[in-house]
C-alpha cells in the first residue's frame, strides 16, 4: 500500500473503531492532481442499523447528564480541534481543492469559532420557563441522522454536531463521499475527548442507499440534511412515513443588489470574489449581481479587473485564490451550464469552457453579462465559478428580480449607506442578507426560505432544532 495514502480502515460506532459488515471502499481523489489520495470504508445497511442502535442506547444517559458536563465535552473538542488546525486544513485542501490559506481560515478556524459559541448553550437550554400554570422544558429530540455535503465539510459537520451535543441528542453522522477524510479526523478527536460511547457515530457511503437508510429508520427522531434541493426532497419523502423532524439546508441562487449610489468598484470586486471563493461551490454564493443600467459599463469594467486578480492553480500555493472544482462530475456540470449560458444569448465577459490547466478539475472564473433573470443560468444553481450580471432600471425592479427565484438562501445589498441597504434588505425573501460586505456571524440563525430549505443552524436557533418543547401544567 502507498504510504502517502490517507486511509481509514474502520467506521466509528459505539465508541469504537469498528469494521464494516461489507468490504467495499470509497476512493478519495485530490481534484487538483486527479490522484487517489486515500480510502475509507463504504458502510452497509447493517452498519447503519448498528450505529442507530448504538445512538439509541446512549440517548437516555447522554440526554440526562448535566448541562455543565455537556459544555465540558464541547470545550474539550474545541481544544482538540485548535491543536490540529493545520492538519485539518491540509486534509480539506487535499480532498476538496480549496486553497490552503482559505481552508485554514474558513474551513477550520471558522467552525472552531462556531463550536466555541456552543459552550454556553447547554446551560441556556436547561433553563425552565414558567408561563401561567405551565412549566416549559427543553428536551432533547432524540437520535439524529446528520447528513453533510462536500463543499464546507467540517463547517457542516460542526453546524450539526455542536447543537446536537448541546441539546443532549445522540447522532449518526454521514459526510459526503467526496470529502470524508476530515470527518474521520474529527472522529479521532471525539474519541480522544472521551465522549460516552454511542453519542457520536460515523458512517460513510452513498446517499441513495446508506443516506436513505438513515432517513427512513423508525428509531431516528430527526434528520438534519445539508445538500442539494433534489436530495432534500428525497430525504423528506423517506422520513415522512415515520413523521420525524427534517431540517433542510439546501441550494441557493443568491442575489447581490448594488445601488446606483454605492461604491461601485468596492461592491463589484466584493461580488466577484464572493462567487469565485471555493470555485463557486458555496451555497450562499452571490451568483446574480443586479446592477443599475446607469452604471452598467462601469460595472463590467470593474468586474473584468476583479477577475484578473483571481489567481487559479495549485491549492497548496498560498498565492492562489481559486483551486479546482471538487470533482470531474462537478466540473462537467459547470461546463454544461456555461455552454447553456452561451446558447441562451448571455454575453461571455470572461472565462468559458476552455481547460485553464492541463491537469486537475479546473474551470476558469466565468462572468456572463446581459443576463435575463428568466434564463436557466439565472434560475438554476450552477455551483461553480459563474457569475451572472443582470441590469435593472429601478430599485423596485431589482427587488422583484432578487425575489424571482425558487431559492431564498441568502442575499446581499451594497448601498450608499447602511440605512439605504437595510431598507432594501428587509424586502428580500431570504434567510439572511449581508449589508455592504458584512461578515458571517456564527451566532446568527443561518438557513433558507422557499426551496433553499426550512432549517436554521448556528446559535440558539440552531440548537432549538434539536429540542422538543414540553409543557407540564400544574
Ligand atoms: P447532495 O445533495 O448530492 O449530497 C449531500 C449529502 O446528501 C451527501 O452526503 C450525499 O451522500 C447525501 N445524499 C444524497 N442523496 C441522498 C438521499 N437520497 N438520501 C440521503 N442522503 C442523500 O449535495 P452535494 O453535491 O454534496 O452538495 C452541494 C449542494 O449542497 C448544493 O446544492 C449546495 O447549495 C448545498 N449546500 C447547502 C448549504 C446550506 O446550508 N443551505 C450548505 C452547503 C451546501
Amino acid at each position: 500500500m502507498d504510504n502517502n495514502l490517507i486511509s481509514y480502515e474502520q467506521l466509528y460506532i459505539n465508541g469504537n473503531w469498528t469494521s464494516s459488515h461489507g468490504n467495499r471502499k470509497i476512493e478519495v481523489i485530490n481534484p487538483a492532481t486527479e490522484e487517489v489520495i486515500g480510502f475509507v470504508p463504504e458502510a452497509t445497511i447493517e452498519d447503519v442499523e448498528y450505529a442507530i442502535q448504538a445512538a439509541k442506547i446512549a440517548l437516555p444517559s447522554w440526554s440526562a447528564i448535566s448541562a455543565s458536563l455537556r459544555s465540558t465535552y464541547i470545550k474539550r473538542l474545541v481544544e482538540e480541534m485548535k491543536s490540529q488546525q493545520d492538519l485539518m486544513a491540509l486534509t480539506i485542501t487535499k480532498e476538496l481543492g480549496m486553497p490552503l490559506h482559505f481552508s485554514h481560515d474558513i474551513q477550520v478556524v471558522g467552525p472552531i469559532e462556531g463550536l466555541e459559541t456552543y459552550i454556553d448553550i447547554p446551560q441556556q437550554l436547561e433553563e425552565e420557563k414558567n408561563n401561567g400554570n405551565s412549566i416549559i422544558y427543553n428536551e432533547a429530540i432524540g437520535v439524529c441522522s446528520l447528513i453533510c455535503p462536500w463543499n464546507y465539510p467540517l463547517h457542516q459537520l460542526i453546524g450539526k454536531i455542536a447543537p446536537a451535543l448541546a441539546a443532549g441528542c445522540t447522532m449518526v453522522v454521514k459526510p459526503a463521499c467526496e470529502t470524508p477524510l476530515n470527518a474521520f479526523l474529527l472522529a479521532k478527536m471525539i474519541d480522544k475527548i472521551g465522549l460516552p460511547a454511542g453519542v457520536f457515530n460515523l458512517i460513510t457511503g452513498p446517499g441513495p442507499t446508506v443516506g436513505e437508510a438513515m432517513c427512513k429508520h423508525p428509531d431516528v427522531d430527526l434528520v438534519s440534511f445539508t445538500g442539494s434541493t433534489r436530495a432534500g426532497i428525497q430525504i423528506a419523502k423517506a422520513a415522512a412515513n415515520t413523521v420525524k423532524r427534517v431540517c433542510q439546508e439546501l441550494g441557493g441562487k443568491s442575489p447581490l443588489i448594488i445601488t446606483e449610489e454605492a461604491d461601485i468598484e468596492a461592491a463589484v470586486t466584493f461580488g466577484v470574489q464572493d462567487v469565485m471563493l471555493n470555485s463557486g461551490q458555496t451555497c450562499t454564493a452571490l451568483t446574480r449581481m443586479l446592477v443599475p443600467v446607469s452604471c452598467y459599463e462601469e460595472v463590467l469594467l470593474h468586474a473584468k479587473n476583479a477577475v484578473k486578480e483571481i489567481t487559479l492553480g495549485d491549492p497548496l500555493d498560498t498565492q492562489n485564490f481559486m483551486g479546482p472544482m471538487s470533482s470531474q462530475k462537478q466540473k462537467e456540470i459547470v461546463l454544461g451550464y456555461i455552454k447553456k449560458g452561451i446558447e441562451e444569448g448571455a454575453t461571455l465577459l470572461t472565462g468559458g469552457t476552455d481547460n485553464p490547466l492541463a491537469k486537475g478539475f479546473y474551470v476558469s472564473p466565468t462572468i456572463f453579462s446581459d443576463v435575463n433573470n428568466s434564463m436557466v443560468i439565472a434560475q438554476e444553481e450552477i455551483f461553480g465559478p459563474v457569475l451572472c450580471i443582470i441590469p435593472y432600471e429601478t430599485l423596485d425592479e431589482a427587488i422583484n428580480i432578487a425575489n424571482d427565484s425558487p431559492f431564498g438562501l441568502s442575499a446581499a445589498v451594497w448601498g450608499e449607506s447602511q440605512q439605504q441597504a437595510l431598507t432594501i434588505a428587509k424586502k428580500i425573501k431570504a434567510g439572511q442578507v449581508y449589508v455592504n460586505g458584512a461578515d458571517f456571524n456564527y451566532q446568527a440563525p443561518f438557513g433558507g426560505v422557499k426551496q433553499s430549505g426550512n432549517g436554521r443552524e448556528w446559535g440558539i436557533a440552531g440548537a432549538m432544532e434539536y429540542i422538543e418543547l414540553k409543557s407540564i401544567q400544574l
Side-chain angles (χ1 to χ4, degrees):
M1 171 135 334
D2 181 346
N3 286 336
N4 291 323
L5 289 178
I6 318 166
S7 289
Y8 292 89
E9 303 293 331
Q10 292 176 308
L11 303 163
Y12 187 74
I13 303 177
N14 202 24
N16 290 307
W17 290 99
T18 306
S19 295
S20 167
H21 285 79
N23 53 14
R24 291 169 69 111
K25 287 180 192 292
I26 297 169
E27 212 175 56
V28 185
I29 293 170
N30 180 336
T33 62
E34 304 184 24
E35 284 161 5
V36 175
I37 53 161
F39 294 92
V40 297
E42 181 179 316
T44 63
I45 304 299
E46 289 90 342
D47 298 327
V48 175
E49 181 64 33
Y50 181 36
I52 291 174
Q53 291 316 316
K56 188 180 173 186
I57 291 166
L59 182 68
S61 55
W62 175 248
S63 58
I65 69 160
S66 69
S68 72
L69 195 48
R70 284 208 292 277
S71 280
T72 303
Y73 282 115
I74 296 174
K75 229 182 282 173
R76 281 189 206 154
L77 186 56
V78 168
E79 293 314 317
E80 200 51 43
M81 288 178 73
K82 280 187 177 169
S83 72
Q84 305 220 29
Q85 290 179 32
D86 291 346
L87 178 59
M88 282 189 291
L90 185 61
T91 304
I92 292 174
T93 287
K94 284 187 175 170
E95 56 187 342
L96 174 68
M98 188 186 213
L100 188 56
H101 53 112
F102 286 137
S103 286
H104 183 271
D105 295 351
I106 303 172
Q107 302 266 12
V108 177
V109 174
I112 295 174
E113 191 191 313
L115 181 62
E116 238 166 347
T117 67
Y118 275 90
I119 292 173
D120 294 331
I121 299 245
Q123 281 84 354
Q124 290 178 41
L125 294 175
E126 203 175 44
E127 281 171 20
E128 297 165 11
K129 292 202 174 70
N130 294 303
N131 188 340
N133 67 326
S134 304
I135 311 174
I136 298 162
Y137 298 91
N138 291 320
E139 288 191 347
I141 192 165
V143 174
C144 303
S145 284
L146 310 179
I147 302 179
C148 293
W150 43 260
N151 61 333
Y152 287 88
L154 189 64
H155 169 93
Q156 305 303 340
L157 286 168
I158 297 295
K160 299 184 190 309
I161 294 168
L165 288 176
C169 294
T170 58
M171 64 206 86
V172 178
V173 177
K174 192 189 94 57
C177 294
E178 293 82 353
T179 56
L181 300 175
N182 67 92
F184 279 79
L185 256 185
L186 185 67
K188 276 169 82 174
M189 293 180 220
I190 288 176
D191 186 55
K192 196 164 167 198
I193 65 165
L195 198 68
V199 174
F200 168 92
N201 304 278
L202 179 67
I203 282 288
T204 47
T209 51
V210 168
E212 189 175 282
M214 291 169 65
C215 301
K216 271 186 175 164
H217 201 289
D219 290 333
V220 168
D221 302 289
L222 170 145
V223 179
S224 177
F225 167 73
T226 300
S228 60
T229 300
R230 172 198 55 78
I233 293 167
Q234 285 168 1
I235 281 170
K237 287 180 179 168
N241 285 342
T242 42
V243 196
K244 43 182 105 309
R245 187 177 297 171
V246 182
C247 307
Q248 293 164 307
E249 307 285 342
L250 311 177
K253 192 74 192 178
S254 302
L256 161 62
I257 297 182
I258 300 176
T259 73
E260 205 169 8
E261 302 80 9
D263 176 340
I264 302 289
E265 183 175 2
V268 171
T269 305
F270 161 80
V272 170
Q273 289 179 355
D274 179 88
V275 172
M276 304 310 164
L277 186 76
N278 204 17
S279 304
Q281 302 162 123
T282 303
C283 53
T284 53
L286 302 164
T287 47
R288 293 182 297 144
M289 185 185 280
L290 313 188
V291 301
V293 173
S294 54
C295 10
Y296 199 58
E297 293 309 317
E298 190 188 346
V299 165
L300 300 190
L301 182 72
H302 292 313
K304 271 196 214 160
N305 289 340
V307 98
K308 277 186 206 144
E309 302 294 316
I310 305 284
T311 41
L312 176 107
D314 181 0
L316 295 174
D317 179 346
T318 53
Q319 299 301 310
N320 286 330
F321 188 96
M322 238 176 87
M325 306 307 299
S326 66
S327 63
Q328 174 73 30
K329 180 179 150 210
Q330 197 59 28
K331 175 177 173 173
E332 281 163 15
I333 292 172
V334 174
L335 293 183
Y337 274 111
I338 296 175
K339 283 186 195 130
K340 182 78 190 162
I342 296 166
E343 277 164 30
E344 284 183 305
T347 305
L348 193 61
L349 192 68
T350 160
T353 53
D354 290 347
N355 266 340
L357 292 169
K359 203 164 198 189
F361 309 133
Y362 290 91
V363 173
S364 300
T366 296
I367 302 182
F368 281 112
S369 57
D370 306 322
V371 176
N372 181 309
N373 197 53
S374 61
M375 289 178 181
V376 169
I377 55 165
Q379 286 292 312
E380 294 186 8
E381 185 184 47
I382 297 175
F383 226 50
V386 183
L387 172 64
C388 296
I389 301 184
I390 305 174
Y392 71 81
E393 300 272 357
T394 65
L395 274 176
D396 280 346
E397 188 194 354
I399 292 162
N400 285 339
I401 296 172
N403 290 336
D404 178 15
S405 168
F407 299 107
L409 182 57
S410 190
V413 184
W414 203 298
E416 178 188 30
S417 63
Q418 214 173 67
Q419 195 48 48
Q420 186 201 27
L422 189 59
T423 311
I424 300 165
K426 286 182 182 169
K427 295 180 182 164
I428 301 178
K429 293 193 186 82
Q432 54 263 302
V433 187
Y434 294 82
V435 162
N436 290 1
D439 287 334
F440 187 84
N441 176 2
Y442 272 102
Q443 310 223 39
F446 175 94
V449 300
K450 299 195 272 182
Q451 290 182 30
S452 291
N454 54 20
R456 289 295 177 271
E457 289 192 325
W458 304 108
I460 190 74
M464 290 310 291
E465 299 276 10
Y466 294 79
I467 290 293
E468 287 288 21
L469 291 171
K470 179 177 192 174
S471 69
I472 296 185
Q473 282 61 244
L474 302 173

